[in-house]
Amino acid sequence: MKKKKSSTRLIERYGEFIIGILLLALSYNFFMLPHNIVYGVGGLGVIFKKVLGADPSIVILVGSLILLILSLIFLGKESTKKTILGSLLYPAFVKLTESLPSLFSIGDIEPLLEVICGSLVSGLGLGLVFKAGFTTGGTDILNHIVSKFFHMNVGKAMFYTDGVIILFSFFVFNFQTFIYSILNLYIISLMTDKVVLGISQSKAFYIITSEETSVKKFIMNSMIHGVTVLEGRGGYTGDVKKVIMCIVPTSQYCELKEGILKIDRSAFFVVTDAYEVSGGA
């Protein structure tokens, strides 16, 4: 049974990966390339097509191969393994789908709406690739190399690497394209997170209150939810405090918040998104 589940999940992972790569390629040819939107290695394909008339898929492939070699040298064999398939399939899918925009017209749409639509599709595709446990290679490799050798987090490294590529769009194209490219990067980041993490269905409350018993009774008896009591210690005073933790559906967020404040106006609590809740009675 375990082997069957494992095989099914493997098929699902590769299915998500292929669909993700296909969506990225379609977004690139339908939206990014026609509007000169610059992002990652695909952005270099846009720039080289404009300046030299080069085939974007070839530029992406060459760029990806160079980055794979750099990954092997600086990040090692294990890290490189995860990026090989995406690095090769993405330019292949870009090439295979390059003629589709001339066959299927999306009609007369405002450029800004097209850019937003393309960014959402790209974010969805990239999210599926990451969720499946793969990457598309490209500047993701460069981000990790910069992160490793310049001792900064990957997010900051991405700001510099993709930022430099996007900056080129200002000089090669125009200010509008530059702004569109920044908007594109922002929407892709948000959409990717939503696909990988999902939309939060629950909220996690961490509550410190002098009315611990009353708050626990309210949560367990009135809202019918379980609680866990953690032990915390004040950083300044060193005093031991009880922290009540509970998970509630997002729809009950306001009810619990108001209930806590009704019991103890001076209660301290922190609320975070709970993207996945598993186990428990």
Side-chain angles (χ1 to χ4, degrees):
M1 181 67 79
K2 274 188 177 180
K3 194 172 181 181
K4 189 177 180 181
K5 282 184 179 179
S6 179
S7 300
T8 303
R9 178 55 194 149
L10 188 64
I11 293 169
E12 286 176 357
R13 279 183 59 213
Y14 276 96
E16 287 176 350
F17 170 66
I18 296 296
I19 293 169
I21 292 288
L22 179 60
L23 288 174
L24 283 166
L26 289 171
S27 175
Y28 186 79
N29 283 315
F30 273 94
F31 303 106
M32 304 305 169
L33 201 56
H35 293 289
N36 299 319
I37 302 304
V38 174
Y39 164 68
V41 176
L44 294 178
V46 174
I47 291 170
F48 275 84
K49 183 183 180 184
K50 173 71 175 180
V51 176
L52 302 174
D55 184 333
S57 61
I58 299 299
V59 174
I60 296 170
L61 178 61
V62 171
S64 296
L65 290 175
I66 292 170
L67 288 167
L68 276 175
I69 293 168
L70 291 175
S71 175
L72 195 59
I73 295 169
F74 295 110
L75 300 177
K77 194 183 293 183
E78 288 305 312
S79 294
T80 306
K81 277 182 186 176
K82 299 174 186 176
T83 64
I84 292 174
L85 200 56
S87 297
L88 298 178
L89 278 186
Y90 178 52
F93 275 42
V94 168
K95 186 65 179 176
L96 289 171
T97 58
E98 68 177 359
S99 61
L100 291 181
S102 60
L103 299 175
F104 303 98
S105 173
I106 57 174
D108 188 20
I109 305 174
E110 286 290 327
L112 178 59
L113 290 178
E114 287 197 42
V115 171
I116 292 172
C117 184
S119 302
L120 290 172
V121 174
S122 292
L124 175 59
L126 199 58
L128 287 173
V129 171
F130 288 163
K131 196 174 179 182
F134 296 91
T135 78
T136 55
T139 50
D140 186 52
I141 294 171
L142 197 57
N143 296 337
H144 282 85
I145 292 172
V146 172
S147 172
K148 180 179 179 180
F149 288 96
F150 290 91
H151 307 290
M152 62 178 72
N153 60 51
V154 176
K156 194 173 182 182
M158 186 173 73
F159 173 78
Y160 288 114
T161 55
D162 286 317
V164 168
I165 295 172
I166 289 173
L167 189 60
F168 282 136
S169 69
F170 178 74
F171 299 104
V172 176
F173 303 109
N174 52 47
F175 184 71
Q176 179 175 292
T177 302
F178 173 67
I179 295 299
Y180 281 173
S181 296
I182 293 173
L183 179 64
N184 169 66
L185 180 59
Y186 178 70
I187 295 173
I188 285 176
S189 301
L190 290 179
M191 189 65 183
T192 301
D193 282 346
K194 290 299 178 187
V195 174
V196 174
L197 296 175
I199 296 171
S200 169
Q201 301 290 328
S202 306
K203 301 293 181 188
F205 276 73
Y206 297 87
I207 311 153
I208 298 175
T209 172
S210 57
E211 302 292 337
E212 180 194 335
T213 303
S214 298
V215 170
K216 283 193 299 185
K217 280 183 179 177
F218 171 71
I219 296 169
M220 291 187 290
N221 299 334
S222 299
M223 300 195 66
I224 322 296
H225 287 296
V227 300
T228 299
V229 180
L230 310 172
E231 189 174 282
R233 187 183 296 276
Y236 181 72
T237 64
D239 294 341
V240 175
K241 296 179 183 292
K242 298 296 183 182
V243 181
I244 302 169
M245 185 195 79
C246 69
I247 310 292
V248 299
T250 299
S251 59
Q252 291 185 311
Y253 161 74
C254 290
E255 184 184 349
L256 179 52
K257 177 184 171 182
E258 288 167 8
I260 294 167
L261 293 174
K262 196 180 231 184
I263 296 167
D264 180 7
R265 294 298 302 176
S266 61
F268 172 83
F269 56 89
V270 176
V271 185
T272 64
D273 286 318
Y275 289 100
E276 185 171 344
V277 180
S278 179

